[in-house]
Amino acid sequence: MSVIVIVSDSSSNDREFARSLADRLGYSCVQPEVVIGRAAARSFSQEELRETLEKPPIVWQRFLHRTRIHLAMLRAALVEEIRPGNAICYGNLGLLLPRIEGLLRIRVDQSQETRCASVRERLKLPPAEATAWVRKRDRDARRWRRWVCGPDYDGGLCSAFSFDLESIRVEQACDAIAVIVRARADDFGGLKQLAVLEDLALSSRVEVALALDRATAHLELGIQAESGCIRVQGRLRGVDELENVRRVVEKVEGLAELNLDEVRLSSDELAAFAALRPRTRAGDAEAHSGLNRWLIWASTAAVLVLAIIYYAALPRISPTLSNALFRQVTTVGQTFAGIITDTRCAGSHAGMPEAASAGCARRCVKTERGVKFALYDGKAMYVLADQAGGDKFAGRRVAVIGTVDKETNTLTATSIRSM
């Protein structure tokens, strides 16, 4: 029995590769939809779980407790799916699993040209839009890996074997992996693999239990399992938090032993005081309830103060300062001069009257699929991010202040004026 994880450096077409390999080995291919459905069994929204698995969060979402619970639930559901062994997972699912003995990581790569051609065929997109689509998926994949794997996010892509699907056919890669899996199973042993998966399932259940309990949800702890023994690592503020961790973990199914020797207390004096003070369950609950209420009120007050400063106080502090800040913000970017045309006609509008040029551009954008308003400066053409502004100034010679995304060749304008 074995578990194979397919990882990729970009938005490669690893789904088809994983299915082909599963058919070749007779393994089950774990689908993201199945994992999301299992994780949603605790009354979680499938839409929220799918968004957590597929899209990188914005900055403020990374600190939300709910997002951390989503990751823990997805990891626990995935472990339950692969627990019987002889399974393959791919994509972002594979990066949820730690690098432990018993998991065979295989990396597959495809060139951007091949992926763009596949997207053009599958989604029926023009070449430029297909390239922009693939580049955006690659950026989101890198941001998601950095968020889940931490600073050493490239370590999540480290694998025992790597295959370039440009130089080897999928069938050949599957045959080579089949030989590796059989040899590895003989060396590693089925019972040992089963023990590794059982420990991984136990540690995932402990992480979920700690994330769902209000008294321990805010803690940043390392959880390791070995032969049914849970070892907790991290720093706590006092004995009260230590007792809450013990209470939550001891209720987890499958726990044989709990080791808290590696937990450090932030203050020995506080720990000694807390150890001597008599506590009851009602007192613990009241203390944590008061702490949670204080955090909620403090966070709400901070948000309100920042909102008042931003929307009311700052513009009235000093008109000179406000105007200087406004000029600094609005002058960021380059100035582009040219004619507003469309991506189909490009520079052919240069010699046309303004009315004819405007009519041609609007007609091409409205009737031709994939055609958009753009700025043509005589040498290069930039697609306008603000298509409504392009329609307003169609056919005119304009000066545009803005910035260009070099990857998508999109011009985001802060101001447009007729010349």
Side-chain angles (χ1 to χ4, degrees), residues 30-53:
V30 180
Q31 302 296 329
E33 295 79 10
V34 176
V35 175
I36 292 172
R38 179 186 283 268
R42 291 176 177 258
S43 301
F44 283 89
S45 168
Q46 291 196 23
E47 288 73 16
E48 290 181 343
L49 291 171
R50 183 176 295 104
E51 184 174 355
T52 301
L53 181 61

Side-chain angles (χ1 to χ4, degrees), residues 72 325 390:
L325 291 175

Side-chain angles (χ1 to χ4, degrees), residues 20-291:
S20 300
L21 182 59
D23 294 339
R24 175 67 175 82
L25 296 174
Y27 281 18
S28 63
C29 186
V30 180
Q31 302 296 329
E33 295 79 10
V34 176
V35 175
I36 292 172
R38 179 186 283 268
R42 291 176 177 258
S43 301
F44 283 89
S45 168
Q46 291 196 23
E47 288 73 16
E48 290 181 343
L49 291 171
R50 183 176 295 104
E51 184 174 355
T52 301
L53 181 61
E54 296 177 354
K55 298 180 180 179
I58 56 180
V59 176
W60 63 270
Q61 286 180 327
R62 303 184 182 188
F63 304 98
L64 293 182
H65 170 56
R66 191 173 185 84
T67 305
R68 291 165 49 200
I69 293 181
H70 288 170
L71 281 179
M73 293 298 302
L74 288 168
R75 184 182 294 108
L78 173 61
V79 171
E80 293 298 330
E81 285 292 325
I82 66 174
R83 189 178 178 184
N86 293 346
I88 297 176
C89 62
Y90 59 90
N92 289 344
L93 286 177
L95 297 178
L96 293 177
L97 299 175
R99 294 181 56 81
I100 62 175
E101 191 177 17
L103 299 180
L104 177 62
R105 286 179 176 261
I106 298 175
R107 176 171 172 171
V108 296
D109 294 313
Q110 278 184 317
S111 65
Q112 187 182 70
E113 290 75 13
T114 301
R115 289 182 283 123
C116 290
S118 177
V119 169
R120 288 199 303 269
E121 181 179 356
R122 188 172 72 254
L123 301 181
K124 308 301 181 184
L125 294 177
E129 294 187 13
T131 301
W133 189 90
V134 170
R135 287 177 176 174
K136 183 180 184 305
R137 288 288 300 273
D138 290 349
R139 287 196 301 270
D140 289 346
R142 289 192 294 269
R143 290 173 54 199
W144 194 93
R145 289 198 309 271
R146 187 179 295 111
W147 169 53
V148 173
C149 302
D152 187 25
Y153 66 97
D154 284 334
L157 297 175
C158 295
S159 56
F161 303 97
S162 178
F163 291 92
D164 183 2
L165 298 184
E166 301 295 322
S167 59
I168 186 174
R169 292 187 292 111
V170 173
E171 295 78 7
Q172 295 174 332
C174 292
D175 292 339
I177 295 174
V179 175
I180 296 170
V181 169
R182 284 194 292 268
R184 188 173 179 273
D186 295 337
D187 296 338
F188 191 60
L191 293 178
K192 190 174 182 180
Q193 288 185 0
L194 179 61
V196 170
L197 293 178
E198 290 291 343
D199 289 338
L200 182 57
L202 177 60
S203 63
S204 298
R205 289 196 295 268
V206 171
E207 290 179 356
V208 171
L210 291 172
L212 292 178
D213 193 281
R214 293 182 61 183
T216 58
H218 64 286
L219 301 178
E220 297 288 344
L221 299 173
I223 306 297
Q224 296 183 2
E226 184 177 357
S227 301
C229 175
I230 288 294
R231 186 168 68 253
V232 181
Q233 300 172 331
R235 180 182 292 273
L236 301 178
R237 289 180 296 182
V239 175
D240 291 345
E241 290 187 348
L242 186 65
E243 292 176 351
N244 287 325
V245 171
R246 186 192 305 276
R247 171 182 58 82
V248 173
V249 176
E250 287 180 347
K251 295 180 181 179
V252 176
E253 178 185 359
L255 176 69
E257 183 182 352
L258 175 59
N259 185 348
L260 298 174
D261 295 340
E262 298 183 41
V263 175
R264 296 174 297 170
L265 299 179
S266 58
S267 172
D268 293 336
E269 296 178 359
L270 176 62
F273 175 77
L276 295 174
R277 184 178 54 181
R279 300 288 294 179
T280 63
R281 293 200 173 193
D284 287 339
E286 181 180 356
H288 287 293
S289 176
L291 178 62

Side-chain angles (χ1 to χ4, degrees), residues 335-385:
T335 300
F336 302 84
I339 186 172
I340 299 298
T341 177
D342 60 271
T343 53
R344 180 179 181 275
C345 298
S348 61
H349 287 183
M352 297 174 60
E354 179 178 313
S357 176
C360 179
R362 293 190 177 103
R363 183 168 54 255
C364 290
V365 171
K366 183 177 181 180
T367 59
E368 297 289 340
R369 177 181 175 84
V371 177
K372 296 183 178 181
F373 288 109
L375 174 72
Y376 181 71
D377 62 0
K379 297 181 180 180
M381 183 170 60
Y382 307 97
V383 178
L384 294 177

